[in-house]
Amino acid sequence: MHGTPDEADRRLRVIRRVTGAEGVVVLDLADATGAELPPWTPGAHVDLRLPGGMVRQYSLCGDAADRRVWRIGVLREPDGRGGSAYVHEALRAGVEVDARGPRNHFALVAAPRYVFIAGGIGVTPILPMVAAVGNSRADWELHYGGRSRRSMAFLDQLRADIGGRVTLYPQDEVGLIDLDRILGRPRPDAAVYCCGPEPLLSAVEKHCAAWPADALHVERFTPRPAGPRGSFEVELARSGLTLTVAANQSVLQALEDAGVDVLSSCREGTCGTCETPVLAGAVDHRDSLLTPAEREADDTMFVCVSRAAGPRLVLDL
């Protein structure tokens, strides 16, 4: 399985709220009962369970050693579906919110060298990674782009390394991140971590096509572009049920319609909650989580978005 999430629900209270940059708020969240929060590692995120059934994932960007506080940075998305608007408008100091996690599908692997690439609010999961590798002997560099300096959060936190290990790319001053220069020559000893908007992630994936297969690690909080959809059968090995998944529904929807209980959250292939073991059949992986090697293994899938690449799948359900 692709990680073991802490699925306990907990009530959090906003204990501090500041403006992180233009359009960005930074929230410090503590357990509403005063208890210690679960441990987490760089790259982890939490689910916030918002009114109206909205569930949104936000990267933890504070001090991983501090069990009293979880810190998140949230960009207001003018064309979003309401989650960021609620956070910006309603989550003031003292307000409580339900959460689940932390969960980590963007874990920091051991490497002698790191290349971090962040676009906009995608810098949030990178910050604790930079802190972690900064305390080690590993070499690292961070390339951080945004629309303008005003929109780029956490610059104060990075100030000591700007101009050295940290290179800023305010688009209104210097244009886009120079991926040709950064990734044009594969470095077998380097791990590449990237988080940001889809155009940046897609460009980084293309530039890393010639790198070692396990070099690139990306984090998406929006779904990959959808592919064609057809119907297929899903056999549930443990229950003996066989279901038909229609072209206009997901495997998760078919399971729910049949009364099969599967834990889920984002329904976009970004959070990892609905991971399900695959016993037979080829999967059309449409998630934003599995590595190329994990996709090749074909022994797990995220049933909220991934589909069959053939006529039938057998799941361990």
Side-chain angles (χ1 to χ4, degrees):
M1 297 293 281
H2 198 249
T4 304
D6 176 352
E7 291 298 351
D9 290 316
R10 55 183 46 82
R11 190 78 168 167
L12 303 178
R13 179 178 294 121
V14 180
I15 61 170
R16 179 175 176 265
R17 172 190 167 114
V18 297
T19 299
E22 190 174 78
V24 176
V25 295
V26 178
L27 304 180
D28 284 353
L29 306 166
D31 188 284
T33 68
E36 274 196 341
L37 293 167
W40 59 278
T41 53
H45 70 264
V46 294
D47 297 348
L48 293 191
R49 306 171 76 84
L50 307 176
M54 292 187 293
V55 180
R56 297 292 183 267
Q57 290 76 45
Y58 297 109
S59 296
L60 294 172
C61 59
D63 181 358
D66 188 349
R67 299 285 297 278
R68 300 166 302 170
V69 174
W70 284 345
R71 177 170 293 169
I72 61 172
V74 181
L75 171 68
R76 180 158 191 160
E77 301 276 6
D79 300 320
R81 294 163 296 156
S84 67
Y86 178 84
V87 171
H88 275 247
E89 293 168 9
L91 292 189
R92 308 283 172 175
V95 174
E96 296 185 358
V97 62
D98 290 320
R100 173 174 286 180
R103 186 181 298 114
N104 197 341
H105 295 291
F106 194 44
L108 189 64
V109 300
R113 181 187 304 273
Y114 297 91
V115 179
F116 298 112
I117 301 172
I121 200 62
V123 75
T124 50
I126 301 296
L127 293 172
M129 294 185 180
V130 167
V133 301
N135 293 326
S136 72
R137 294 185 176 181
D139 191 15
W140 64 273
E141 60 194 73
L142 167 59
H143 302 271
Y144 177 18
R147 296 187 311 276
S148 67
R149 289 178 189 267
R150 297 187 309 278
S151 70
M152 297 169 69
F154 303 104
L155 292 186
D156 285 349
Q157 191 170 327
L158 297 168
R159 178 176 292 140
D161 292 302
I162 292 175
R165 296 178 184 270
V166 177
T167 305
L168 301 182
Y169 300 81
Q171 189 173 345
D172 60 349
E173 298 176 27
V174 300
L176 299 175
I177 297 174
D178 188 354
L179 297 179
D180 287 335
R181 180 180 66 81
I182 300 163
L183 302 173
R185 179 177 58 83
R187 290 183 261 178
D189 62 341
V192 180
Y193 280 80
C194 180
C195 186
E198 183 59 35
L200 174 63
L201 298 177
S202 297
V204 168
E205 287 174 333
K206 289 177 183 177
H207 277 80
C208 285
W211 285 58
D214 59 351
L216 178 60
H217 308 261
V218 301
E219 172 117 290
R220 283 180 166 87
F221 284 109
T222 56
R224 288 177 179 270
R229 298 164 68 97
S231 63
F232 56 93
E233 287 190 341
V234 171
E235 178 185 337
L236 310 184
R238 280 188 273 157
S239 63
L241 290 174
T242 297
L243 310 175
T244 297
V245 180
N248 64 347
Q249 69 178 165
S250 67
V251 176
L252 177 60
Q253 289 168 335
L255 293 169
E256 290 175 336
D257 289 348
V260 180
D261 187 25
V262 177
L263 197 64
S264 66
S265 180
C266 74
R267 296 177 177 260
E268 295 181 334
T270 59
C271 77
T273 307
C274 68
E275 185 173 9
T276 302
V278 177
L279 303 180
V283 182
D284 176 7
H285 294 285
R286 302 187 180 194
D287 63 274
S288 302
L289 298 162
L290 295 179
T291 66
E294 289 167 335
R295 289 169 184 260
E296 185 71 22
D298 236 10
D299 58 2
T300 192
M301 71 181 293
F302 297 96
V303 293
C304 65
V305 291
S306 295
R307 305 181 68 78
R312 188 178 180 88
L313 288 173
V314 181
L315 304 181
D316 187 14
L317 291 172

